[in-house]
Amino acid sequence: MMRVQEISLNQIKRPLPRANDPNKVQALMESIAAIGQQEPIDVLEVEGEYYGFSGCHRYEACQRLGKETIIARVRKAPRSVLKMHLA
């Protein structure tokens, strides 16, 4: 089951560091500042903790804008699914 909700940025763990395109982050910052976040990021909820593996540019743009929350599609998953993402 999936749901869309706002999650505090500091609650989302990003276990796979990624180098983002600074131009894309800047463009998203301008868009989010003007019209808000249009597309949720995808987050796994495992045992009450949130893990983000996609939406890296949107996540960084929201961080740099000083946003406290981000809109996310949340999917509950067992630890075995989390381990597959980390493999």
Side-chain angles (χ1 to χ4, degrees):
M1 183 175 136
M2 196 176 312
R3 67 188 185 281
V4 176
Q5 70 182 70
E6 279 194 63
I7 299 175
S8 174
L9 282 169
N10 61 16
Q11 284 188 292
I12 301 172
K13 298 177 185 196
R14 311 250 350 148
L16 302 176
R18 183 173 157 188
N20 291 331
D21 176 343
N23 294 326
K24 187 172 180 180
V25 172
Q26 183 62 42
L28 281 165
M29 287 174 67
E30 292 168 11
S31 172
I32 291 168
I35 60 172
Q37 182 188 346
Q38 299 299 298
E39 182 67 26
I41 65 169
D42 292 309
V43 172
L44 284 179
E45 181 183 352
V46 179
E47 298 173 4
E49 295 187 305
Y50 299 105
Y51 295 86
F53 296 96
S54 67
C56 300
H57 290 90
R58 284 168 282 164
Y59 180 88
E60 183 178 336
C62 286
Q63 265 190 326
R64 291 181 53 196
L65 284 168
K67 301 274 186 194
E68 293 185 13
T69 62
I70 192 166
I71 301 167
R73 270 186 301 267
V74 180
R75 182 170 55 103
K76 281 193 170 214
R79 192 155 290 282
S80 60
V81 171
L82 175 62
K83 288 180 181 174
M84 287 185 340
H85 282 279
L86 297 173

